[in-house]
Amino acid sequence: MSWYCYAVTEFAAENPAEGIAGLREQPVSAISEAGLTALASPAPDEGFDEASLQHLPWLEEIARAHNAVVDEASRRTSVLPLRMATIYRDEDRVREMLAEHSAQFSEALRRVRDHAEWGVKVFASLRAAEEPAAEAPADGRSYLRQRLRQRQARDTRTNEALAVAERIERELAELSADLHRHRTQDPALTGRADRNILNLACLVPDAGRERFLERLADLRQSEVAGVEVEVTGPWAPYSFAGIS
């Protein structure tokens, strides 16, 4: 029987996944080795070849089940989320995986224990200020001058927004155990017309959560015109698992 693995956690006498349903409502089991436990459920016999994983509805089902298991388990204990669609052919192979990577897993679990991931995105509206004159440029030279002014205005706003984002990152670094800078997101993904100029994952100690959120609230209240800070979390430490 193949097993779909969701996350790794430290071994405990009680199953940290007790009562959790995984993919296709299969119960999540605890498979342990080398002082570690993999949270896993029986995998369907079909659906995990490359062609099937390109099928969007099936991929969405996997993602929902994977995130649901990881999120619920993370409320009970510290977990290291594994990549989506991590499959092993039997329990012995799962145990071999735990033994092979035990040092890496143990170190990562030590880092994330009593921490949570918070997402911080900074967005900026970089549209250049409109020209006060309603009339179109009289000639080609006037048009070029207008375009130059617009480009200069946009460059100025871009630099101002990036300076704000850099300041936010510096301040949050002081309140976080670790930071991970993700790629900024395209408007097609964010659903917003403005530009994502910073996309951070912050590993925040549970004991420092209130201070972190209070500082973020201050930063949001002091936003400069055209710059907005979006905060999400807490999440399981996907960005800081450091494992494949």
Side-chain angles (χ1 to χ4, degrees), residues 85-240:
T86 297
I87 304 272
Y88 293 96
R89 63 178 178 270
D90 52 39
E91 286 190 42
D92 287 342
R93 185 64 192 97
V94 176
R95 292 191 177 93
E96 289 174 10
M97 176 270 295
L98 293 174
E100 288 170 6
H101 302 287
S102 61
Q104 184 182 8
F105 288 149
S106 297
E107 173 58 22
L109 281 164
R110 184 195 63 77
R111 280 192 300 111
V112 303
R113 187 181 300 120
D114 299 323
H115 289 68
E117 179 172 329
W118 292 81
V120 178
K121 295 178 184 177
V122 178
F123 295 89
S125 176
L126 303 177
R127 292 187 298 272
E130 294 183 359
E131 289 291 315
E135 297 181 0
D139 52 35
R141 183 172 295 179
S142 298
Y143 171 78
L144 292 174
R145 282 199 298 266
Q146 183 185 77
R147 291 298 302 272
L148 177 60
R149 287 194 297 270
Q150 290 173 341
R151 185 166 62 251
Q152 290 172 335
R154 183 180 180 87
D155 289 346
T156 298
R157 296 187 69 176
T158 298
N159 292 334
E160 290 173 350
L162 291 174
V164 171
E166 289 175 3
R167 178 171 60 84
I168 291 172
E169 183 172 1
R170 286 196 304 271
E171 296 202 24
L172 295 183
E174 296 178 359
L175 302 174
S176 305
D178 199 1
L179 290 181
H180 182 81
R181 183 186 283 195
H182 291 290
R183 289 183 179 179
T184 54
Q185 294 182 321
D186 187 271
L189 293 176
T190 64
R192 303 175 56 131
D194 46 6
R195 177 181 163 194
N196 179 211
I197 60 172
L198 183 65
N199 185 8
L200 282 182
C202 304
L203 186 65
V204 180
D206 293 342
R209 173 182 299 186
E210 293 305 316
R211 185 182 175 200
F212 178 83
L213 294 177
E214 287 172 2
R215 187 67 193 115
L216 271 173
D218 292 342
L219 290 168
R220 296 178 77 178
Q221 290 175 0
S222 62
E223 292 166 3
V224 300
V227 177
E228 181 180 343
V229 181
E230 178 184 280
V231 185
T232 59
W235 310 110
Y238 283 93
S239 301
F240 304 96

Side-chain angles (χ1 to χ4, degrees), residues 63-82:
R64 285 195 300 270
H66 188 98
N67 291 333
V69 171
V70 171
D71 288 347
E72 180 57 33
S74 69
R75 297 187 184 100
R76 306 179 184 186
T77 188
S78 297
V79 300
L80 297 175
L82 293 169

